[in-house]
Amino acid sequence: MESLVSTEWLANEMGASDLRIVDCTRHLPGTGRDALAEYEAGHIPGAVFMDLADLVDAGAAVENTLPPAEKFASRMQSLGLGDGSRIVLYDDSAVKTAARAWFMLKMFGAHDVAILDGGIAKWKAEGRALTQGKEVLRHRHFTVWQDDKNLRTKAHVLANLHSKDEQVVDARGAKRWSGEEADPRPNIASGHIPGSFNVPYTALFNADGTFKDKAGLKAAFQGAGVDLGKPVVTSCGSGITACVLIFGLHLAGKDDVALYDGSWTEWGNDPDTPKATKPAA
């Protein structure tokens, strides 16, 4: 299974015994939208609902921190996602939250994971079937393991300011990155990690919500000054849209990419971390 699958592919695979479809929609606070209620009102047949708001480390100092491996595995087992499953993820979120689920599943050991190109919006636009209610699947074993090689901490990113071994790429909008626009969270500074590049996650998509092709994805990064021959660390507000950049780079054939999970929520809240701003042109 490819990492990105089409609605046509999914429609043809429906009913396969090893296929698991997952709605990973999560909305930002303040949108007034309820992802679970929307799922129950209409979802792709057979899809279970992954509650990304619950898939966090409740004891972490920074919001939206990745959960412990055991917690993640337990949640996956209860959803019926396990060893041997082909997992297709989709969302209906402005911040493309299926990429966060993809990153977690890959980090915690799932092998065959894909994102539905265009999400449920494209599925609906094509007039394909929807189901109401809540799907419940039989529990399956999910082998617990965790590979942290694609994770970076604040200490890593601070050290990188001097070593410059990795390029930091920020997925936030240009005005948030430059400091022209204040951070929406209280007590969080404006600006960006010094030396970081800005590739807003929205730059990776076509007008219909599908991902750009390989050439278009590469152009989005190279146009912002990113050298695709060197390692990358992605960041954003709280670690969600940074995963969109990781998935986009994966589609472009680049996998030496890591996530700074604390992202700007952690960096901008620390008075001792250096911050940079870019004057308006």
Side-chain angles (χ1 to χ4, degrees):
M1 186 171 69
E2 299 292 330
S3 296
L4 187 68
V5 299
S6 68
T7 50
E8 182 181 14
W9 181 93
L10 182 58
N12 290 334
E13 289 291 313
M14 299 277 277
S17 61
D18 63 338
L19 185 69
R20 300 290 181 269
I21 308 170
V22 187
D23 186 322
C24 310
T25 304
R26 182 181 180 185
H27 300 301
L28 291 176
T31 61
R33 296 179 64 183
D34 183 328
L36 178 57
E38 291 174 6
Y39 160 82
E40 292 180 345
H43 57 266
I44 295 176
V48 293
F49 181 76
M50 181 186 288
D51 185 0
L52 286 178
D54 176 57
L55 282 170
V56 298
D57 183 349
V62 182
E63 69 174 86
N64 205 48
T65 297
L66 290 162
E70 293 76 13
K71 177 178 180 178
F72 185 82
S74 174
R75 298 294 191 275
M76 296 308 101
Q77 288 172 177
S78 66
L79 286 176
L81 310 180
D83 302 342
S85 298
R86 289 185 300 156
I87 303 170
V88 176
L89 313 168
Y90 74 84
D91 67 65
D92 191 26
S93 171
V95 289
K96 310 295 184 182
T97 47
R100 176 76 172 184
W102 176 85
F103 180 85
M104 283 195 283
L105 280 159
K106 298 295 284 186
M107 188 183 82
F108 289 120
H111 298 289
D112 227 356
V113 189
I115 289 179
L116 178 64
D117 201 14
I120 195 172
K122 190 169 190 292
W123 184 271
K124 288 178 178 177
E126 293 167 350
R128 300 187 187 274
L130 296 173
T131 300
Q132 294 180 324
K134 188 175 183 180
E135 309 273 356
V136 179
L137 303 179
R138 178 174 60 86
H139 282 221
R140 291 180 62 86
H141 178 69
F142 189 100
T143 300
V144 181
W145 71 290
Q146 181 171 348
D147 186 350
D148 289 339
K149 73 177 186 297
N150 291 336
L151 277 183
R152 297 292 180 270
T153 64
K154 182 172 67 176
H156 286 132
V157 179
L158 279 167
N160 188 67
L161 291 175
H162 304 287
S163 69
K164 295 181 170 56
D165 290 334
E166 299 176 312
Q167 303 165 100
V168 177
V169 185
D170 194 320
R172 295 176 299 158
K175 289 185 177 181
R176 288 267 304 282
W177 176 83
S178 70
E180 183 181 347
E181 190 176 281
D183 195 276
R185 299 170 179 83
N187 306 315
I188 304 290
S190 300
H192 56 268
I193 297 168
S196 65
F197 298 92
N198 183 218
V199 180
Y201 73 95
T202 51
L204 307 190
F205 296 93
N206 297 309
D208 65 353
T210 57
F211 276 93
K212 291 181 176 178
D213 61 14
K214 192 172 183 177
L217 292 169
K218 286 183 173 182
F221 288 95
Q222 292 170 330
V226 179
D227 182 346
L228 294 179
K230 296 180 179 179
V232 164
V233 175
T234 67
S235 178
C236 60
S238 64
I240 291 179
T241 58
C243 293
V244 181
L245 297 191
I246 294 175
F247 187 74
L249 286 164
H250 171 71
L251 293 178
K254 183 174 179 61
D255 287 310
D256 55 340
V257 185
L259 170 68
Y260 172 30
D261 195 37
S263 284
W264 192 252
T265 298
E266 180 179 44
W267 192 275
N269 192 45
D270 185 344
D272 294 328
T273 54
K275 289 94 176 168
T277 56
K278 181 179 172 63

